[in-house]
Amino acid sequence: MAATATAGAYMTTIKPCMSSYNKISVSSAVNIGTINKEVPWTKLTSCYQILSNKTFFPSFTSGQVKFGKVITRAMATVEEKKPVTGLQIDLTGKRAFIAGVADDNGYGWAIAKSLAAAGAEILVGTWVPALNIFESSLRRGKFDESRKLPDGSLMQITKVYPLDAVYDNPEDVPEDVKTNKRYLGSSNWTVEEVAQSVKQDFGSIDILVHSLANGPEVTKPLLDTSRSGYLAAISASSYSFISLLKHFAPIINPGGASISLTYIASERIIPGYGGGMSSAKAALESDTRVLAFEAGRKHKVRVNTISAGPLRSRAAKAIGFIDMMIDYSSANAPLQKELSAEEVGNAAAFLASPLASAITGTVFYVDNGLNAMGVGVDSPIFENLDIPTDKS
């Protein structure tokens, strides 16, 4: 079930160098397909890790290295001391499970890409009825353009697991769901079973991402929401995170991280975001704090949630007013720009990294600052105030 892509004709890997006083030495493994050329090689102008499907000949000059079907090792010449600058998010050797990826344009996909770009191995859990079309799209290359990482390579998804996080174990699944044609052909898709499958396949993970939400009555005002609709929203959008962490925590390596996605409707009134979804997001944020304590003490796992601004994803379009919310955010947020999924993905990569090793139990806002606003400055009430805009 894994989705893979054929590597390019040329692959270069240069591992991070170590600097020591007045010189920098680099030990690098180079494998350039079937090319047989002699290339001059001088000093390396920087130290970093490269993973590219493009040749790198223009970057180097001194000492001769012959490229062929063998692994060639080379030492760089002595160079003036150049400190390696900047903090890097390095998730090399880490494994992430992202629950709730069913297409290539939501926050779950963006988080998977950012984690992959930082070096993590990617596993995903896809809602069972969407599994076939998602895997088919991966195999047929429909997602290749959106799989591109900053270095030009394609994000690799090691394995796709069928998942329905509304059900904790097989005993919870009603008969009408078991026999539903959309579930036929798939097995081991409850939360408990998926966690067991991941353990059997890989032993452990380091990062757990919850990118799941569903409210069958989301377009209804809260006063018109049925009990079953309200509880369904809570079950799919907040309790599912508790269930995932409960079953995955035993296989998350100490020091690991768990991340969910929330929305400002948890603490502010967003008319139209109904059906109990605002309540579900509020519950998710409260649970994040409690789970941070419990999972931190018991498993040494950090728990945070990202409050992301509105995005034109397929799921969000089902609400019916996402374009209006994006326009409102652009007009009223401190930063007047449309939020990108990549920005949320990068925030998740930071929270999952050692750079955030002391951050847990937080609601991490990634919304251009909209959460800080107390009023909508596009209101006619403020038309006589000299409020800066991106047009002024």
Side-chain angles (χ1 to χ4, degrees):
M1 297 174 68
T4 58
T6 305
Y10 312 117
M11 183 70 75
T12 304
T13 303
I14 298 182
K15 297 191 175 181
C17 56
M18 302 294 293
S19 62
S20 176
Y21 297 99
N22 295 321
K23 66 180 181 179
I24 297 175
S25 63
V26 179
S27 175
S28 55
V30 182
N31 186 359
I32 309 291
T34 57
I35 294 178
N36 282 295
K37 291 186 180 180
E38 291 189 357
V39 181
W41 183 319
T42 56
K43 30 189 181 180
L44 298 174
T45 59
S46 61
C47 304
Y48 53 94
Q49 185 176 41
I50 301 173
L51 181 60
S52 173
N53 60 358
K54 297 181 180 180
T55 57
F56 62 97
F57 306 146
S59 302
F60 308 97
T61 56
S62 151
Q64 297 211 332
V65 180
K66 185 175 291 186
F67 296 85
K69 295 183 179 180
V70 297
I71 298 295
T72 305
R73 297 194 177 276
M75 296 297 293
T77 59
V78 174
E79 186 176 305
E80 293 181 4
K81 180 181 178 182
K82 287 187 177 180
V84 178
T85 60
L87 291 173
Q88 297 183 355
I89 294 178
D90 185 3
L91 298 176
T92 304
K94 305 297 184 182
R95 182 178 296 115
F97 182 88
I98 300 96
V101 179
D103 56 40
D104 65 339
N105 75 342
Y107 283 138
W109 177 271
I111 290 172
K113 281 186 66 177
S114 291
L115 296 177
E121 180 181 10
I122 304 300
L123 314 174
V124 302
T126 299
W127 188 45
V128 183
L131 180 67
N132 288 337
I133 189 168
F134 178 69
E135 289 192 309
S136 175
S137 296
L138 278 173
R139 286 194 304 268
R140 296 166 63 184
K142 287 189 174 182
F143 297 155
D144 282 1
E145 185 62 32
S146 57
R147 285 171 61 201
K148 285 185 180 177
L149 300 177
D151 65 2
S153 64
L154 298 182
M155 173 179 67
Q156 302 297 312
I157 298 177
T158 302
K159 188 164 184 178
V160 180
Y161 290 86
L163 171 68
D164 193 329
V166 168
Y167 306 106
D168 297 331
N169 51 61
E171 291 72 31
D172 292 341
V173 183
E175 193 61 33
D176 63 323
V177 173
K178 290 179 182 178
T179 58
N180 189 301
K181 63 180 181 180
R182 297 191 299 173
Y183 286 78
L184 295 177
S186 295
S187 59
N188 300 322
W189 44 260
T190 63
V191 176
E192 181 181 62
E193 291 172 304
V194 173
Q196 290 173 349
S197 296
V198 172
K199 181 179 180 179
Q200 291 170 2
D201 294 341
F202 299 97
S204 65
I205 63 172
D206 302 278
I207 302 161
L208 175 66
V209 178
H210 175 277
S211 180
L212 297 163
N214 183 51
E217 299 180 17
V218 66
T219 58
K220 292 183 178 180
L222 193 56
L223 282 173
D224 296 335
T225 300
S226 68
R227 183 183 296 270
S228 61
Y230 183 93
L231 295 177
I234 295 288
S235 174
S237 308
S238 56
Y239 185 80
S240 56
F241 181 51
I242 299 174
S243 181
L244 278 168
L245 191 54
K246 172 184 177 180
H247 290 95
F248 274 87
I251 65 169
I252 299 178
N253 292 319
S258 181
I259 301 166
S260 64
L261 290 166
T262 185
Y263 182 47
I264 193 65
S266 63
E267 53 188 285
R268 300 284 189 272
I269 299 169
I270 307 291
Y273 192 73
M277 281 303 301
S278 58
S279 307
K281 293 302 185 182
L284 181 64
E285 293 178 16
S286 179
D287 294 340
T288 294
R289 290 183 283 272
V290 177
L291 292 171
F293 173 76
E294 295 182 357
R297 289 297 182 94
K298 187 174 182 179
H299 299 287
K300 293 181 171 59
V301 172
R302 295 180 294 109
V303 183
N304 294 291
T305 186
I306 295 175
S307 184
L311 177 74
R312 286 188 179 91
S313 65
R314 291 188 182 94
K317 288 178 181 177
I319 300 174
F321 65 98
I322 188 62
D323 290 337
M324 182 180 69
M325 291 306 302
I326 291 173
D327 292 342
Y328 176 85
S329 178
S330 298
N332 293 285
L335 301 178
Q336 287 191 277
K337 63 182 182 63
E338 186 169 331
L339 183 71
S340 72
E342 181 182 9
E343 290 171 308
V344 173
N346 291 342
F350 163 72
L351 288 173
S353 77
L355 296 179
S357 59
I359 301 175
T360 193
T362 65
V363 177
F364 199 83
Y365 295 97
V366 185
D367 62 356
N368 290 323
L370 185 63
N371 71 91
M373 300 302 296
V375 295
V377 295
D378 61 348
S379 170
I381 296 175
F382 301 106
E383 62 185 0
N384 294 325
L385 292 182
D386 185 18
I387 298 175
T389 68
D390 59 356
K391 299 177 182 178
S392 60

